[in-house]
Amino acid sequence: MEIKSGHSSPVMTDTPPISNSRLTIRQNRLLCSSAALSQNNNLLLTVPRKKTGILDDVKSCGWLDAMKSSSPPPAILNKDSISSDASYREWTQLKYPSALTSFEKIMSFAKGKRIALFLDYDGTLSPIVEEPDCAYMSSAMRTAVQNVAKYFPTAIISGRSRDKVCEFVGLSELYYAGSHGMDIMSPAGESLNHEHLSRTVSVNEQGKDVNLFQPASEFLPMIDKVLCSLVEITKDIKGVKVEDNKFCISVHYRNVEEKNWTLVAQRVEYVIRTYPKLRLTHGRKVLEIRPVIDWNKGKAVTFLLESLGLNNCDDVLPIYVGDDRTDEDAFKVLRDGPNHGYGVLVSAVPKDTNAFYSLRDPSEVMEFLKSLVTWKRSMV
Ligand SMILES: O=P(O)(O)OC[C@H]1O[C@H](O[C@H]2O[C@H](CO)[C@@H](O)[C@H](O)[C@H]2O)[C@H](O)[C@@H](O)[C@@H]1O
């Protein structure tokens, strides 16, 4: 693929001391040039930050309810399953049609257009599992992604660190955007050229040059410090996992007893309240800490389209498939922005979204990818 353009809040009463002296984390960070950083001060969000950095849903319903609602059940398995299934059917029929049953419609719109494909990882290409380090993608899914990438520029956009998601996916021909889009990498031999933004060249595991764009590089020392503090402050809560996502941090509570969820949130909030340049968001049984910069998965999609010379083109159809709240930024960009395209929400339960279509789970995502390949081959 050729790139064209030039360029809450309960107050803590008993807080454990924070110490980070024993932790040595992130020894293998890629070096990045200051060139990429110098232009990023204007990305800092100027949103007024509340004293405690509390999210609106936490303010209105408290930590526990906010944490519960951030992670819907993965499937419909209870005695209400018949009525739930009926409401799912209604949701797909009336609001967010299945991208599989609407495939022909989508393709009639795609005719004569170049498709650019953006795929989230967790919950989209791999099923949600208890242990974040074991969220492997099936080899059938890998083959499906590999095949689709032969025909369409394909990028993986994940909240995970880029290194981790690259390792899970294991396909060097793709574009990767880790840390919710804050760490973008081209495939070896391709450049990431963007008229407004500088770039960094690094070397991948095979020793080949790759291009990086890292708009939050200046936050690395802060994120490192906060990571150490979070590991330390949550270490006595059974089941907590603090994940280093390079420019972001995930604090998982999936394996924590529900009675301790509020405690987890309180501890996290205690740490980040002294960092006004960091913000806290929810994911699926995870609290995510990230820099307060005007950058997200939607911005990453726009950046990639611009870098590929595919922005503002009538003959380009971007498609973004994702399951998480953070994917909504990308759905919004494709729904409302100049690069009109389709967001496809992966969900087994009805919910509101900025996406246009839906798919039930990763197995339907795989079917969709295969259908894209079959369609493309039929056109040749
Ligand atoms: O943007 P994504 O690729 O969807 O990444 C979002 C988060 O995904 C991972 O956590 C989620 O998946 C885990 C594995 O299935 C699950 O155990 C966890 O409860 C989910 O929240 C990842 O570990 C996080 O760091 C990402 O932010």
Side-chain angles (χ1 to χ4, degrees), residues 21-259:
S21 55
R22 285 178 290 123
L23 293 162
T24 40
I25 303 177
R26 299 170 187 277
Q27 286 163 340
N28 296 321
R29 292 232 193 261
L30 283 167
L31 289 175
C32 22
S33 78
S34 56
L37 314 181
S38 58
Q39 318 222 2
N40 297 322
N41 284 339
N42 58 0
L43 287 175
L44 258 179
L45 279 176
T46 49
V47 282
R49 197 176 142 92
K50 297 164 202 88
K51 208 171 156 196
T52 53
I54 292 163
L55 297 157
D56 286 346
D57 56 349
V58 175
K59 259 182 22 186
S60 59
C61 51
W63 270 117
L64 189 58
D65 284 346
M67 290 165 97
K68 279 183 185 167
S69 70
S70 74
S71 189
I76 299 149
L77 296 170
N78 55 34
K79 63 181 165 55
D80 298 327
S81 65
I82 293 172
S83 63
S84 302
D85 219 31
S87 65
Y88 184 81
R89 263 201 316 277
E90 191 179 305
W91 180 72
T92 56
Q93 280 161 7
L94 300 179
K95 292 187 92 174
Y96 305 102
S98 160
L100 288 176
T101 52
S102 306
F103 191 76
E104 280 185 20
K105 198 170 168 190
I106 300 173
M107 289 310 116
S108 67
F109 188 72
K111 208 165 173 194
K113 294 188 165 68
R114 293 171 287 165
I115 292 177
L117 197 57
F118 300 92
L119 304 167
D120 168 56
Y121 184 75
D122 289 276
T124 297
L125 296 181
S126 71
I128 293 294
V129 294
E130 301 292 299
E131 177 46 58
D133 287 342
C134 300
Y136 304 116
M137 181 174 155
S138 68
S139 49
M141 181 67 96
R142 184 168 298 103
T143 303
V145 175
Q146 189 167 31
N147 285 336
V148 89
K150 287 176 190 159
Y151 298 104
F152 314 110
T154 302
I156 309 291
I157 318 269
S158 173
R160 294 204 185 238
S161 74
R162 178 176 46 76
D163 285 351
K164 188 74 191 176
V165 77
C166 282
E167 184 192 319
F168 275 151
V169 176
L171 296 169
S172 58
E173 60 269 43
L174 310 182
Y175 288 78
Y176 288 90
S179 308
H180 296 294
M182 287 184 259
D183 190 4
I184 302 182
M185 183 178 83
S186 65
E190 307 275 355
S191 8
L192 267 184
N193 292 327
H194 195 285
E195 61 182 327
H196 299 304
L197 300 161
S198 307
R199 63 195 162 103
T200 304
V201 178
S202 189
V203 172
N204 72 3
E205 281 176 352
Q206 292 83 40
K208 293 186 175 157
D209 278 0
V210 290
N211 276 220
L212 298 179
F213 173 64
Q214 301 177 323
S217 295
E218 64 195 286
F219 290 87
L220 276 183
M222 184 189 290
I223 294 277
D224 275 347
K225 238 172 123 183
V226 171
L227 178 74
C228 293
S229 300
L230 289 168
V231 168
E232 188 64 23
I233 207 170
T234 58
K235 69 180 182 190
D236 63 329
I237 308 176
K238 196 165 165 236
V240 171
K241 181 178 172 65
V242 181
E243 187 182 0
D244 176 0
N245 286 338
K246 190 156 181 163
F247 297 105
C248 318
I249 303 167
S250 287
V251 180
H252 295 272
Y253 53 91
R254 182 172 292 279
N255 298 317
V256 174
E257 278 188 83
E258 198 174 299
K259 65 174 191 208

